[in-house]
PDB file of all heavy atoms in Angstrom:
ATOM      1  N   ILE A  17     136.786 -36.769  99.758  1.00 92.00           N
ATOM      2  CA  ILE A  17     135.638 -37.351  99.087  1.00 92.00           C
ATOM      3  C   ILE A  17     135.429 -36.767  97.697  1.00 92.00           C
ATOM      4  O   ILE A  17     135.106 -37.522  96.757  1.00 92.00           O
ATOM      5  CB  ILE A  17     134.334 -37.284  99.963  1.00 92.00           C
ATOM      6  CG1 ILE A  17     133.220 -38.118  99.327  1.00 92.00           C
ATOM      7  CG2 ILE A  17     133.927 -35.842 100.174  1.00 92.00           C
ATOM      8  CD1 ILE A  17     133.494 -39.601  99.272  1.00 92.00           C
ATOM      9  N   ASP A  18     135.595 -35.502  97.483  1.00 92.00           N
ATOM     10  CA  ASP A  18     135.388 -34.897  96.165  1.00 92.00           C
ATOM     11  C   ASP A  18     136.411 -35.443  95.178  1.00 92.00           C
ATOM     12  O   ASP A  18     136.059 -35.826  94.060  1.00 92.00           O
ATOM     13  CB  ASP A  18     135.480 -33.382  96.185  1.00 92.00           C
ATOM     14  CG  ASP A  18     134.263 -32.750  96.901  1.00 92.00           C
ATOM     15  OD1 ASP A  18     133.205 -33.391  96.962  1.00 92.00           O
ATOM     16  OD2 ASP A  18     134.393 -31.601  97.343  1.00 92.00           O
ATOM     17  N   GLU A  19     137.683 -35.525  95.579  1.00 92.00           N
ATOM     18  CA  GLU A  19     138.739 -36.030  94.687  1.00 92.00           C
ATOM     19  C   GLU A  19     138.510 -37.523  94.413  1.00 92.00           C
ATOM     20  O   GLU A  19     138.699 -37.983  93.291  1.00 92.00           O
ATOM     21  CB  GLU A  19     140.124 -35.754  95.295  1.00 92.00           C
ATOM     22  CG  GLU A  19     141.234 -35.964  94.283  1.00 92.00           C
ATOM     23  CD  GLU A  19     142.594 -35.547  94.834  1.00 92.00           C
ATOM     24  OE1 GLU A  19     142.677 -34.941  95.947  1.00 92.00           O
ATOM     25  OE2 GLU A  19     143.588 -35.874  94.157  1.00 92.00           O
ATOM     26  N   ILE A  20     138.058 -38.267  95.450  1.00 93.00           N
ATOM     27  CA  ILE A  20     137.767 -39.697  95.282  1.00 93.00           C
ATOM     28  C   ILE A  20     136.636 -39.911  94.275  1.00 93.00           C
ATOM     29  O   ILE A  20     136.723 -40.754  93.415  1.00 93.00           O
ATOM     30  CB  ILE A  20     137.431 -40.363  96.636  1.00 93.00           C
ATOM     31  CG1 ILE A  20     138.733 -40.453  97.495  1.00 93.00           C
ATOM     32  CG2 ILE A  20     136.808 -41.709  96.465  1.00 93.00           C
ATOM     33  CD1 ILE A  20     138.459 -40.841  98.936  1.00 93.00           C
ATOM     34  N   ALA A  21     135.574 -39.124  94.417  1.00 92.00           N
ATOM     35  CA  ALA A  21     134.426 -39.278  93.501  1.00 92.00           C
ATOM     36  C   ALA A  21     134.846 -38.966  92.080  1.00 92.00           C
ATOM     37  O   ALA A  21     134.502 -39.651  91.143  1.00 92.00           O
ATOM     38  CB  ALA A  21     133.277 -38.378  93.940  1.00 92.00           C
ATOM     39  N   LYS A  22     135.630 -37.884  91.904  1.00 92.00           N
ATOM     40  CA  LYS A  22     136.118 -37.543  90.545  1.00 92.00           C
ATOM     41  C   LYS A  22     137.033 -38.621  89.976  1.00 92.00           C
ATOM     42  O   LYS A  22     136.926 -38.956  88.778  1.00 92.00           O
ATOM     43  CB  LYS A  22     136.873 -36.235  90.583  1.00 92.00           C
ATOM     44  CG  LYS A  22     135.972 -34.994  90.778  1.00 92.00           C
ATOM     45  CD  LYS A  22     136.821 -33.707  90.897  1.00 92.00           C
ATOM     46  CE  LYS A  22     135.904 -32.566  91.320  1.00 92.00           C
ATOM     47  NZ  LYS A  22     136.710 -31.365  91.684  1.00 92.00           N
ATOM     48  N   LEU A  23     137.865 -39.205  90.787  1.00 92.00           N
ATOM     49  CA  LEU A  23     138.743 -40.285  90.352  1.00 92.00           C
ATOM     50  C   LEU A  23     137.904 -41.466  89.877  1.00 92.00           C
ATOM     51  O   LEU A  23     138.160 -42.055  88.834  1.00 92.00           O
ATOM     52  CB  LEU A  23     139.678 -40.718  91.483  1.00 92.00           C
ATOM     53  CG  LEU A  23     140.518 -41.940  91.172  1.00 92.00           C
ATOM     54  CD1 LEU A  23     141.982 -41.633  91.314  1.00 92.00           C
ATOM     55  CD2 LEU A  23     140.120 -43.079  92.085  1.00 92.00           C
ATOM     56  N   ASN A  24     136.909 -41.876  90.676  1.00 91.00           N
ATOM     57  CA  ASN A  24     136.036 -42.983  90.308  1.00 91.00           C
ATOM     58  C   ASN A  24     135.312 -42.691  88.991  1.00 91.00           C
ATOM     59  O   ASN A  24     135.212 -43.568  88.135  1.00 91.00           O
ATOM     60  CB  ASN A  24     135.077 -43.303  91.425  1.00 91.00           C
ATOM     61  CG  ASN A  24     135.683 -44.223  92.459  1.00 91.00           C
ATOM     62  OD1 ASN A  24     135.710 -45.430  92.262  1.00 91.00           O
ATOM     63  ND2 ASN A  24     136.154 -43.678  93.528  1.00 91.00           N
ATOM     64  N   ASP A  25     134.787 -41.477  88.821  1.00 91.00           N
ATOM     65  CA  ASP A  25     134.081 -41.095  87.594  1.00 91.00           C
ATOM     66  C   ASP A  25     135.037 -41.237  86.401  1.00 91.00           C
ATOM     67  O   ASP A  25     134.641 -41.728  85.345  1.00 91.00           O
ATOM     68  CB  ASP A  25     133.515 -39.704  87.699  1.00 91.00           C
ATOM     69  CG  ASP A  25     132.381 -39.577  88.732  1.00 91.00           C
ATOM     70  OD1 ASP A  25     131.868 -40.625  89.171  1.00 91.00           O
ATOM     71  OD2 ASP A  25     132.009 -38.455  89.080  1.00 91.00           O
ATOM     72  N   ALA A  26     136.267 -40.726  86.569  1.00 90.00           N
ATOM     73  CA  ALA A  26     137.238 -40.767  85.489  1.00 90.00           C
ATOM     74  C   ALA A  26     137.658 -42.214  85.149  1.00 90.00           C
ATOM     75  O   ALA A  26     137.721 -42.608  83.993  1.00 90.00           O
ATOM     76  CB  ALA A  26     138.490 -39.964  85.848  1.00 90.00           C
ATOM     77  N   ALA A  27     137.852 -43.023  86.188  1.00 88.00           N
ATOM     78  CA  ALA A  27     138.299 -44.400  85.970  1.00 88.00           C
ATOM     79  C   ALA A  27     137.213 -45.236  85.296  1.00 88.00           C
ATOM     80  O   ALA A  27     137.530 -46.106  84.479  1.00 88.00           O
ATOM     81  CB  ALA A  27     138.661 -45.044  87.305  1.00 88.00           C
ATOM     82  N   PHE A  28     135.949 -44.992  85.629  1.00 88.00           N
ATOM     83  CA  PHE A  28     134.880 -45.808  85.033  1.00 88.00           C
ATOM     84  C   PHE A  28     134.188 -45.127  83.863  1.00 88.00           C
ATOM     85  O   PHE A  28     133.344 -45.750  83.207  1.00 88.00           O
ATOM     86  CB  PHE A  28     133.872 -46.163  86.132  1.00 88.00           C
ATOM     87  CG  PHE A  28     134.364 -47.176  87.116  1.00 88.00           C
ATOM     88  CD1 PHE A  28     134.919 -46.777  88.310  1.00 88.00           C
ATOM     89  CD2 PHE A  28     134.292 -48.535  86.834  1.00 88.00           C
ATOM     90  CE1 PHE A  28     135.410 -47.693  89.221  1.00 88.00           C
ATOM     91  CE2 PHE A  28     134.731 -49.474  87.714  1.00 88.00           C
ATOM     92  CZ  PHE A  28     135.319 -49.053  88.938  1.00 88.00           C
ATOM     93  N   GLY A  29     134.549 -43.863  83.562  1.00 86.00           N
ATOM     94  CA  GLY A  29     133.990 -43.171  82.438  1.00 86.00           C
ATOM     95  C   GLY A  29     132.511 -42.820  82.603  1.00 86.00           C
ATOM     96  O   GLY A  29     131.797 -42.646  81.623  1.00 86.00           O
ATOM     97  N   GLN A  30     132.045 -42.739  83.820  1.00 84.00           N
ATOM     98  CA  GLN A  30     130.655 -42.397  84.122  1.00 84.00           C
ATOM     99  C   GLN A  30     130.565 -41.962  85.605  1.00 84.00           C
ATOM    100  O   GLN A  30     131.541 -42.116  86.360  1.00 84.00           O
ATOM    101  CB  GLN A  30     129.774 -43.597  83.875  1.00 84.00           C
ATOM    102  CG  GLN A  30     130.198 -44.828  84.623  1.00 84.00           C
ATOM    103  CD  GLN A  30     129.046 -45.757  84.961  1.00 84.00           C
ATOM    104  OE1 GLN A  30     127.921 -45.363  84.998  1.00 84.00           O
ATOM    105  NE2 GLN A  30     129.393 -47.015  85.269  1.00 84.00           N
ATOM    106  N   SER A  31     129.427 -41.460  86.034  1.00 82.00           N
ATOM    107  CA  SER A  31     129.289 -40.920  87.372  1.00 82.00           C
ATOM    108  C   SER A  31     128.709 -41.926  88.386  1.00 82.00           C
ATOM    109  O   SER A  31     128.585 -41.612  89.572  1.00 82.00           O
ATOM    110  CB  SER A  31     128.407 -39.677  87.356  1.00 82.00           C
ATOM    111  OG  SER A  31     127.095 -40.014  86.957  1.00 82.00           O
ATOM    112  N   GLY A  32     128.388 -43.169  87.981  1.00 86.00           N
ATOM    113  CA  GLY A  32     127.798 -44.144  88.886  1.00 86.00           C
ATOM    114  C   GLY A  32     128.620 -44.465  90.079  1.00 86.00           C
ATOM    115  O   GLY A  32     128.098 -44.406  91.225  1.00 86.00           O
ATOM    116  N   GLU A  33     129.867 -44.786  89.902  1.00 88.00           N
ATOM    117  CA  GLU A  33     130.747 -45.152  91.033  1.00 88.00           C
ATOM    118  C   GLU A  33     130.998 -43.997  91.949  1.00 88.00           C
ATOM    119  O   GLU A  33     131.041 -44.168  93.177  1.00 88.00           O
ATOM    120  CB  GLU A  33     132.034 -45.819  90.572  1.00 88.00           C
ATOM    121  CG  GLU A  33     131.898 -47.270  90.116  1.00 88.00           C
ATOM    122  CD  GLU A  33     131.146 -47.454  88.806  1.00 88.00           C
ATOM    123  OE1 GLU A  33     130.931 -46.463  88.056  1.00 88.00           O
ATOM    124  OE2 GLU A  33     130.737 -48.602  88.553  1.00 88.00           O
ATOM    125  N   GLY A  34     131.186 -42.802  91.427  1.00 89.00           N
ATOM    126  CA  GLY A  34     131.407 -41.607  92.255  1.00 89.00           C
ATOM    127  C   GLY A  34     130.171 -41.394  93.166  1.00 89.00           C
ATOM    128  O   GLY A  34     130.290 -41.032  94.322  1.00 89.00           O
ATOM    129  N   LYS A  35     128.994 -41.602  92.579  1.00 91.00           N
ATOM    130  CA  LYS A  35     127.757 -41.416  93.396  1.00 91.00           C
ATOM    131  C   LYS A  35     127.659 -42.488  94.503  1.00 91.00           C
ATOM    132  O   LYS A  35     127.242 -42.195  95.602  1.00 91.00           O
ATOM    133  CB  LYS A  35     126.509 -41.513  92.500  1.00 91.00           C
ATOM    134  CG  LYS A  35     126.351 -40.283  91.580  1.00 91.00           C
ATOM    135  CD  LYS A  35     125.172 -40.464  90.667  1.00 91.00           C
ATOM    136  CE  LYS A  35     125.082 -39.243  89.735  1.00 91.00           C
ATOM    137  NZ  LYS A  35     123.994 -39.434  88.725  1.00 91.00           N
ATOM    138  N   ILE A  36     128.051 -43.740  94.183  1.00 93.00           N
ATOM    139  CA  ILE A  36     128.016 -44.786  95.174  1.00 93.00           C
ATOM    140  C   ILE A  36     128.954 -44.456  96.331  1.00 93.00           C
ATOM    141  O   ILE A  36     128.576 -44.555  97.518  1.00 93.00           O
ATOM    142  CB  ILE A  36     128.442 -46.161  94.508  1.00 93.00           C
ATOM    143  CG1 ILE A  36     127.309 -46.665  93.622  1.00 93.00           C
ATOM    144  CG2 ILE A  36     128.810 -47.161  95.587  1.00 93.00           C
ATOM    145  CD1 ILE A  36     127.697 -47.839  92.773  1.00 93.00           C
ATOM    146  N   VAL A  37     130.183 -44.032  96.010  1.00 91.00           N
ATOM    147  CA  VAL A  37     131.136 -43.684  97.059  1.00 91.00           C
ATOM    148  C   VAL A  37     130.632 -42.565  97.957  1.00 91.00           C
ATOM    149  O   VAL A  37     130.715 -42.604  99.171  1.00 91.00           O
ATOM    150  CB  VAL A  37     132.511 -43.338  96.435  1.00 91.00           C
ATOM    151  CG1 VAL A  37     133.430 -42.716  97.466  1.00 91.00           C
ATOM    152  CG2 VAL A  37     133.099 -44.550  95.782  1.00 91.00           C
ATOM    153  N   ARG A  38     130.064 -41.516  97.341  1.00 91.00           N
ATOM    154  CA  ARG A  38     129.492 -40.390  98.119  1.00 91.00           C
ATOM    155  C   ARG A  38     128.369 -40.879  99.003  1.00 91.00           C
ATOM    156  O   ARG A  38     128.274 -40.483 100.171  1.00 91.00           O
ATOM    157  CB  ARG A  38     128.982 -39.301  97.194  1.00 91.00           C
ATOM    158  CG  ARG A  38     130.061 -38.460  96.557  1.00 91.00           C
ATOM    159  CD  ARG A  38     129.403 -37.331  95.724  1.00 91.00           C
ATOM    160  NE  ARG A  38     130.374 -36.600  94.981  1.00 91.00           N
ATOM    161  CZ  ARG A  38     131.123 -35.636  95.458  1.00 91.00           C
ATOM    162  NH1 ARG A  38     131.080 -35.297  96.725  1.00 91.00           N
ATOM    163  NH2 ARG A  38     131.992 -35.005  94.692  1.00 91.00           N
ATOM    164  N   LYS A  39     127.464 -41.708  98.477  1.00 93.00           N
ATOM    165  CA  LYS A  39     126.321 -42.180  99.285  1.00 93.00           C
ATOM    166  C   LYS A  39     126.752 -43.104 100.410  1.00 93.00           C
ATOM    167  O   LYS A  39     126.240 -43.014 101.519  1.00 93.00           O
ATOM    168  CB  LYS A  39     125.280 -42.849  98.378  1.00 93.00           C
ATOM    169  CG  LYS A  39     124.007 -43.204  99.111  1.00 93.00           C
ATOM    170  CD  LYS A  39     122.827 -43.311  98.186  1.00 93.00           C
ATOM    171  CE  LYS A  39     121.554 -43.741  98.900  1.00 93.00           C
ATOM    172  NZ  LYS A  39     121.147 -42.894 100.013  1.00 93.00           N
ATOM    173  N   LEU A  40     127.705 -44.000 100.158  1.00 94.00           N
ATOM    174  CA  LEU A  40     128.243 -44.855 101.231  1.00 94.00           C
ATOM    175  C   LEU A  40     128.793 -43.991 102.380  1.00 94.00           C
ATOM    176  O   LEU A  40     128.528 -44.261 103.544  1.00 94.00           O
ATOM    177  CB  LEU A  40     129.311 -45.796 100.700  1.00 94.00           C
ATOM    178  CG  LEU A  40     128.846 -46.957  99.812  1.00 94.00           C
ATOM    179  CD1 LEU A  40     130.015 -47.633  99.147  1.00 94.00           C
ATOM    180  CD2 LEU A  40     128.040 -47.972 100.659  1.00 94.00           C
ATOM    181  N   LYS A  41     129.547 -42.965 102.009  1.00 92.00           N
ATOM    182  CA  LYS A  41     130.135 -42.071 103.020  1.00 92.00           C
ATOM    183  C   LYS A  41     129.036 -41.304 103.779  1.00 92.00           C
ATOM    184  O   LYS A  41     129.011 -41.289 104.984  1.00 92.00           O
ATOM    185  CB  LYS A  41     131.127 -41.115 102.328  1.00 92.00           C
ATOM    186  CG  LYS A  41     131.707 -40.087 103.245  1.00 92.00           C
ATOM    187  CD  LYS A  41     132.781 -40.647 104.048  1.00 92.00           C
ATOM    188  CE  LYS A  41     133.508 -39.544 104.827  1.00 92.00           C
ATOM    189  NZ  LYS A  41     134.031 -40.068 106.081  1.00 92.00           N
ATOM    190  N   ARG A  42     128.125 -40.722 103.005  1.00 92.00           N
ATOM    191  CA  ARG A  42     127.047 -39.890 103.602  1.00 92.00           C
ATOM    192  C   ARG A  42     126.145 -40.725 104.514  1.00 92.00           C
ATOM    193  O   ARG A  42     125.773 -40.270 105.563  1.00 92.00           O
ATOM    194  CB  ARG A  42     126.214 -39.265 102.483  1.00 92.00           C
ATOM    195  CG  ARG A  42     125.136 -38.294 102.960  1.00 92.00           C
ATOM    196  CD  ARG A  42     124.418 -37.578 101.823  1.00 92.00           C
ATOM    197  NE  ARG A  42     123.813 -38.496 100.863  1.00 92.00           N
ATOM    198  CZ  ARG A  42     124.234 -38.625  99.592  1.00 92.00           C
ATOM    199  NH1 ARG A  42     125.229 -37.925  99.137  1.00 92.00           N
ATOM    200  NH2 ARG A  42     123.606 -39.452  98.782  1.00 92.00           N
ATOM    201  N   ASP A  43     125.866 -41.976 104.120  1.00 94.00           N
ATOM    202  CA  ASP A  43     124.977 -42.822 104.890  1.00 94.00           C
ATOM    203  C   ASP A  43     125.652 -43.554 106.053  1.00 94.00           C
ATOM    204  O   ASP A  43     124.995 -44.240 106.814  1.00 94.00           O
ATOM    205  CB  ASP A  43     124.305 -43.870 103.981  1.00 94.00           C
ATOM    206  CG  ASP A  43     123.374 -43.272 102.975  1.00 94.00           C
ATOM    207  OD1 ASP A  43     123.047 -42.067 103.053  1.00 94.00           O
ATOM    208  OD2 ASP A  43     122.958 -43.994 102.030  1.00 94.00           O
ATOM    209  N   GLY A  44     126.967 -43.397 106.176  1.00 93.00           N
ATOM    210  CA  GLY A  44     127.687 -44.079 107.252  1.00 93.00           C
ATOM    211  C   GLY A  44     127.918 -45.572 106.950  1.00 93.00           C
ATOM    212  O   GLY A  44     128.184 -46.317 107.892  1.00 93.00           O
ATOM    213  N   ASP A  45     127.836 -45.969 105.675  1.00 93.00           N
ATOM    214  CA  ASP A  45     127.969 -47.355 105.324  1.00 93.00           C
ATOM    215  C   ASP A  45     129.359 -47.737 104.858  1.00 93.00           C
ATOM    216  O   ASP A  45     129.646 -48.904 104.588  1.00 93.00           O
ATOM    217  CB  ASP A  45     126.957 -47.731 104.226  1.00 93.00           C
ATOM    218  CG  ASP A  45     125.498 -47.704 104.724  1.00 93.00           C
ATOM    219  OD1 ASP A  45     125.304 -48.119 105.883  1.00 93.00           O
ATOM    220  OD2 ASP A  45     124.615 -47.340 103.951  1.00 93.00           O
ATOM    221  N   SER A  46     130.261 -46.764 104.800  1.00 94.00           N
ATOM    222  CA  SER A  46     131.647 -47.076 104.427  1.00 94.00           C
ATOM    223  C   SER A  46     132.352 -47.732 105.606  1.00 94.00           C
ATOM    224  O   SER A  46     132.359 -47.165 106.708  1.00 94.00           O
ATOM    225  CB  SER A  46     132.360 -45.763 104.041  1.00 94.00           C
ATOM    226  OG  SER A  46     133.744 -46.048 103.804  1.00 94.00           O
ATOM    227  N   LEU A  47     132.896 -48.899 105.425  1.00 95.00           N
ATOM    228  CA  LEU A  47     133.611 -49.592 106.485  1.00 95.00           C
ATOM    229  C   LEU A  47     135.090 -49.277 106.453  1.00 95.00           C
ATOM    230  O   LEU A  47     135.726 -49.070 107.485  1.00 95.00           O
ATOM    231  CB  LEU A  47     133.374 -51.113 106.314  1.00 95.00           C
ATOM    232  CG  LEU A  47     133.863 -52.037 107.396  1.00 95.00           C
ATOM    233  CD1 LEU A  47     133.157 -51.728 108.700  1.00 95.00           C
ATOM    234  CD2 LEU A  47     133.606 -53.481 107.002  1.00 95.00           C
ATOM    235  N   LEU A  48     135.661 -49.224 105.258  1.00 97.00           N
ATOM    236  CA  LEU A  48     137.106 -48.928 105.089  1.00 97.00           C
ATOM    237  C   LEU A  48     137.263 -48.307 103.704  1.00 97.00           C
ATOM    238  O   LEU A  48     136.828 -48.915 102.702  1.00 97.00           O
ATOM    239  CB  LEU A  48     137.940 -50.203 105.173  1.00 97.00           C
ATOM    240  CG  LEU A  48     139.430 -50.060 104.912  1.00 97.00           C
ATOM    241  CD1 LEU A  48     140.090 -49.130 105.968  1.00 97.00           C
ATOM    242  CD2 LEU A  48     140.100 -51.431 104.901  1.00 97.00           C
ATOM    243  N   SER A  49     137.867 -47.158 103.643  1.00 97.00           N
ATOM    244  CA  SER A  49     138.113 -46.443 102.404  1.00 97.00           C
ATOM    245  C   SER A  49     139.614 -46.125 102.366  1.00 97.00           C
ATOM    246  O   SER A  49     140.097 -45.424 103.271  1.00 97.00           O
ATOM    247  CB  SER A  49     137.260 -45.191 102.331  1.00 97.00           C
ATOM    248  OG  SER A  49     137.376 -44.551 101.098  1.00 97.00           O
ATOM    249  N   LEU A  50     140.308 -46.599 101.365  1.00 98.00           N
ATOM    250  CA  LEU A  50     141.771 -46.350 101.246  1.00 98.00           C
ATOM    251  C   LEU A  50     142.066 -45.646  99.924  1.00 98.00           C
ATOM    252  O   LEU A  50     141.364 -45.851  98.940  1.00 98.00           O
ATOM    253  CB  LEU A  50     142.531 -47.704 101.233  1.00 98.00           C
ATOM    254  CG  LEU A  50     142.392 -48.616 102.453  1.00 98.00           C
ATOM    255  CD1 LEU A  50     143.045 -49.935 102.192  1.00 98.00           C
ATOM    256  CD2 LEU A  50     142.964 -47.942 103.682  1.00 98.00           C
ATOM    257  N   ILE A  51     143.078 -44.813  99.978  1.00 97.00           N
ATOM    258  CA  ILE A  51     143.522 -44.148  98.736  1.00 97.00           C
ATOM    259  C   ILE A  51     145.013 -44.459  98.475  1.00 97.00           C
ATOM    260  O   ILE A  51     145.766 -44.726  99.413  1.00 97.00           O
ATOM    261  CB  ILE A  51     143.283 -42.617  98.770  1.00 97.00           C
ATOM    262  CG1 ILE A  51     144.027 -41.927  99.933  1.00 97.00           C
ATOM    263  CG2 ILE A  51     141.794 -42.302  98.880  1.00 97.00           C
ATOM    264  CD1 ILE A  51     145.235 -41.172  99.498  1.00 97.00           C
ATOM    265  N   ALA A  52     145.375 -44.406  97.231  1.00 96.00           N
ATOM    266  CA  ALA A  52     146.754 -44.492  96.818  1.00 96.00           C
ATOM    267  C   ALA A  52     147.147 -43.074  96.377  1.00 96.00           C
ATOM    268  O   ALA A  52     146.380 -42.417  95.670  1.00 96.00           O
ATOM    269  CB  ALA A  52     146.950 -45.462  95.666  1.00 96.00           C
ATOM    270  N   HIS A  53     148.271 -42.606  96.834  1.00 94.00           N
ATOM    271  CA  HIS A  53     148.707 -41.185  96.599  1.00 94.00           C
ATOM    272  C   HIS A  53     150.132 -41.224  96.016  1.00 94.00           C
ATOM    273  O   HIS A  53     150.945 -42.078  96.371  1.00 94.00           O
ATOM    274  CB  HIS A  53     148.694 -40.458  97.953  1.00 94.00           C
ATOM    275  CG  HIS A  53     148.533 -38.983  97.780  1.00 94.00           C
ATOM    276  ND1 HIS A  53     149.523 -38.153  97.419  1.00 94.00           N
ATOM    277  CD2 HIS A  53     147.439 -38.206  98.002  1.00 94.00           C
ATOM    278  CE1 HIS A  53     149.084 -36.901  97.398  1.00 94.00           C
ATOM    279  NE2 HIS A  53     147.821 -36.898  97.759  1.00 94.00           N
ATOM    280  N   ASP A  54     150.445 -40.272  95.163  1.00 91.00           N
ATOM    281  CA  ASP A  54     151.784 -40.234  94.588  1.00 91.00           C
ATOM    282  C   ASP A  54     152.564 -38.973  94.960  1.00 91.00           C
ATOM    283  O   ASP A  54     153.438 -38.492  94.245  1.00 91.00           O
ATOM    284  CB  ASP A  54     151.735 -40.373  93.032  1.00 91.00           C
ATOM    285  CG  ASP A  54     151.165 -39.152  92.333  1.00 91.00           C
ATOM    286  OD1 ASP A  54     150.745 -38.187  93.023  1.00 91.00           O
ATOM    287  OD2 ASP A  54     151.106 -39.140  91.119  1.00 91.00           O
ATOM    288  N   ASP A  55     152.211 -38.401  96.129  1.00 84.00           N
ATOM    289  CA  ASP A  55     152.823 -37.181  96.679  1.00 84.00           C
ATOM    290  C   ASP A  55     152.281 -35.928  96.048  1.00 84.00           C
ATOM    291  O   ASP A  55     152.597 -34.810  96.483  1.00 84.00           O
ATOM    292  CB  ASP A  55     154.352 -37.193  96.616  1.00 84.00           C
ATOM    293  CG  ASP A  55     154.982 -38.209  97.549  1.00 84.00           C
ATOM    294  OD1 ASP A  55     154.351 -38.522  98.592  1.00 84.00           O
ATOM    295  OD2 ASP A  55     156.077 -38.690  97.236  1.00 84.00           O
ATOM    296  N   SER A  56     151.531 -36.055  94.959  1.00 86.00           N
ATOM    297  CA  SER A  56     150.927 -34.823  94.373  1.00 86.00           C
ATOM    298  C   SER A  56     149.397 -34.931  94.271  1.00 86.00           C
ATOM    299  O   SER A  56     148.705 -33.929  94.275  1.00 86.00           O
ATOM    300  CB  SER A  56     151.522 -34.513  92.993  1.00 86.00           C
ATOM    301  OG  SER A  56     151.162 -35.555  92.069  1.00 86.00           O
ATOM    302  N   ARG A  57     148.869 -36.157  94.157  1.00 89.00           N
ATOM    303  CA  ARG A  57     147.417 -36.340  94.051  1.00 89.00           C
ATOM    304  C   ARG A  57     147.049 -37.756  94.361  1.00 89.00           C
ATOM    305  O   ARG A  57     147.906 -38.682  94.378  1.00 89.00           O
ATOM    306  CB  ARG A  57     146.980 -35.973  92.643  1.00 89.00           C
ATOM    307  CG  ARG A  57     147.566 -36.873  91.580  1.00 89.00           C
ATOM    308  CD  ARG A  57     147.251 -36.428  90.215  1.00 89.00           C
ATOM    309  NE  ARG A  57     148.011 -37.256  89.256  1.00 89.00           N
ATOM    310  CZ  ARG A  57     147.689 -37.418  88.032  1.00 89.00           C
ATOM    311  NH1 ARG A  57     146.670 -36.799  87.529  1.00 89.00           N
ATOM    312  NH2 ARG A  57     148.443 -38.175  87.231  1.00 89.00           N
ATOM    313  N   ILE A  58     145.718 -37.976  94.517  1.00 92.00           N
ATOM    314  CA  ILE A  58     145.197 -39.301  94.710  1.00 92.00           C
ATOM    315  C   ILE A  58     145.166 -39.997  93.339  1.00 92.00           C
ATOM    316  O   ILE A  58     144.654 -39.442  92.359  1.00 92.00           O
ATOM    317  CB  ILE A  58     143.792 -39.244  95.332  1.00 92.00           C
ATOM    318  CG1 ILE A  58     143.863 -38.666  96.745  1.00 92.00           C
ATOM    319  CG2 ILE A  58     143.154 -40.617  95.346  1.00 92.00           C
ATOM    320  CD1 ILE A  58     142.500 -38.392  97.357  1.00 92.00           C
ATOM    321  N   VAL A  59     145.749 -41.182  93.249  1.00 93.00           N
ATOM    322  CA  VAL A  59     145.792 -41.917  92.017  1.00 93.00           C
ATOM    323  C   VAL A  59     145.019 -43.217  92.011  1.00 93.00           C
ATOM    324  O   VAL A  59     144.839 -43.837  90.993  1.00 93.00           O
ATOM    325  CB  VAL A  59     147.282 -42.169  91.563  1.00 93.00           C
ATOM    326  CG1 VAL A  59     148.009 -40.861  91.286  1.00 93.00           C
ATOM    327  CG2 VAL A  59     147.985 -43.018  92.583  1.00 93.00           C
ATOM    328  N   GLY A  60     144.503 -43.563  93.188  1.00 95.00           N
ATOM    329  CA  GLY A  60     143.732 -44.789  93.300  1.00 95.00           C
ATOM    330  C   GLY A  60     142.876 -44.770  94.552  1.00 95.00           C
ATOM    331  O   GLY A  60     143.135 -44.040  95.490  1.00 95.00           O
ATOM    332  N   HIS A  61     141.828 -45.595  94.517  1.00 96.00           N
ATOM    333  CA  HIS A  61     140.874 -45.676  95.654  1.00 96.00           C
ATOM    334  C   HIS A  61     140.234 -47.037  95.704  1.00 96.00           C
ATOM    335  O   HIS A  61     139.999 -47.653  94.695  1.00 96.00           O
ATOM    336  CB  HIS A  61     139.800 -44.574  95.500  1.00 96.00           C
ATOM    337  CG  HIS A  61     138.711 -44.722  96.502  1.00 96.00           C
ATOM    338  ND1 HIS A  61     137.478 -45.244  96.175  1.00 96.00           N
ATOM    339  CD2 HIS A  61     138.668 -44.446  97.801  1.00 96.00           C
ATOM    340  CE1 HIS A  61     136.717 -45.234  97.251  1.00 96.00           C
ATOM    341  NE2 HIS A  61     137.401 -44.791  98.275  1.00 96.00           N
TER     342      HIS A  61
END
């Protein structure tokens, strides 16, 4: 979750999407969360 939130913030250039992802997870509202990985780090979500 921390790496996903940072990735979203970097991709969108603001903290809004990272906050949404954290709140969806915290509230139990996430239905499906997928990541793309390149063997060294998460590169997509």
Side-chain angles (χ1 to χ4, degrees):
I17 191 64
D18 289 337
E19 194 173 351
I20 288 170
K22 287 177 190 169
L23 173 124
N24 276 278
D25 292 347
F28 288 95
Q30 55 151 339
S31 64
E33 281 72 14
K35 289 177 183 174
I36 288 170
V37 169
R38 285 184 187 280
K39 187 157 178 54
L40 287 168
K41 175 79 173 148
R42 184 175 56 248
D43 294 350
D45 291 325
S46 174
L47 187 62
L48 176 64
S49 185
L50 300 173
I51 60 105
H53 204 284
D54 70 359
D55 292 331
S56 65
R57 63 187 172 159
I58 296 173
V59 296
H61 171 256

